[in-house]
Amino acid sequence: MIRNVLGAVVALVGAAAAVQSPFRRWYDTRLGRDYRIQDLFDGITGVSSSVMASILLPFLFAALLTLVGVVLRSRTAVALAGLVVLGFTVLWMVRLGQAESGLTLDGDGSGLGWGVAQALAGGVLILLGALLMSGRRRAARPGRNAPEPYPVPPDDRPDTWPPTQEPGPAAYTSQAPEPEADPYTGPGRHRATSGDEDTAEYPVQGEVPPRQGDDRYRPPHP
């Protein structure tokens, strides 16, 4: 998240610098917006250009592409915008060098101006912003070679629970039916046992224990 915000800020600053550069001096006293788009392909001439038909047009497109890339968090779109700015600036320098038989940079202010440097810096900042952005994360699609979410327990410890490997519910359960509880809850159900023999009987409240030789459910004979 922080990388996306930082990259977006750097890219937008570069786009703003690129859009502003044609309004500054590019060569001698001529502004960048005075160079026509077709002069970049046919050769530089002295014919002046309108603002929207000048070199400003590809820079506006690059700024729009940067904005779309920032909103969609697309590093490809932002990087493409930086390449557009740098590409048109370098193309202008090549065409001007052919027309002027070389480019000059004099200390008295003639030759290349600050507008060219600003356009180049803007393109570099846009590319730097694309590198800083982390982009949009894509959810991993399950495939044949996708790793299992948890490792399979070893054969000697099948009852371990992943991923902490702490003892947990059994991994293998019996197929036999579970034993049902005895529904009888009457007298004599609970017996205190010691070993395998019955030694005592818990009396039920309100019931008199039978004497020896008496029937449990019938009164004794006289």
Side-chain angles (χ1 to χ4, degrees):
M1 183 64 181
I2 298 178
R3 290 185 56 185
N4 283 329
V5 173
L6 182 60
V9 171
V10 174
L12 292 177
V13 170
V19 172
Q20 187 185 7
S21 63
F23 296 94
R24 305 190 66 176
R25 187 178 61 84
W26 276 49
Y27 195 79
D28 288 340
T29 58
R30 195 172 181 182
L31 302 179
R33 60 182 177 85
D34 292 334
Y35 293 96
R36 300 182 301 174
I37 288 292
Q38 62 185 23
D39 291 347
L40 301 180
F41 303 97
D42 300 335
I44 302 297
T45 62
V47 179
S48 183
S49 172
S50 61
V51 176
M52 296 308 299
S54 66
I55 198 175
L56 175 65
L57 184 61
F59 290 171
L60 288 176
F61 172 76
L64 180 61
L65 190 59
T66 301
L67 183 60
V68 172
V70 167
V71 172
L72 299 180
R73 291 183 295 177
S74 174
R75 300 178 62 186
T76 303
V78 177
L80 182 60
L83 293 178
V84 169
V85 174
L86 292 177
F88 275 90
T89 304
V90 172
L91 180 60
W92 173 87
M93 295 176 66
V94 171
R95 289 301 185 182
L96 186 64
Q98 294 175 352
E100 298 291 337
S101 300
L103 300 176
T104 61
L105 181 61
D106 300 331
D108 57 356
S110 60
L112 293 175
W114 286 105
V116 181
Q118 184 174 343
L120 293 174
V124 172
L125 286 177
I126 295 175
L127 289 179
L128 181 60
L131 292 176
L132 291 176
M133 294 175 61
S134 60
R136 179 180 299 177
R137 297 181 180 179
R138 297 181 178 180
R141 297 181 178 179
R144 294 182 179 179
N145 298 328
E148 296 183 0
Y150 301 110
V152 179
D155 296 337
D156 56 342
R157 298 183 61 190
D159 294 343
T160 55
W161 185 262
T164 59
Q165 299 299 325
E166 295 293 334
Y172 304 99
T173 57
S174 175
Q175 301 297 329
E178 296 183 359
E180 297 182 358
D182 187 5
Y184 178 73
T185 59
R189 180 175 182 271
H190 301 284
R191 298 177 179 273
T193 60
S194 175
D196 297 334
E197 298 179 356
D198 297 342
T199 58
E201 179 180 351
Y202 292 103
V204 181
Q205 185 177 3
E207 179 183 2
V208 178
R211 291 175 300 177
Q212 187 176 3
D214 295 343
D215 192 343
R216 180 178 180 86
Y217 300 105
R218 296 180 180 178
H221 296 283

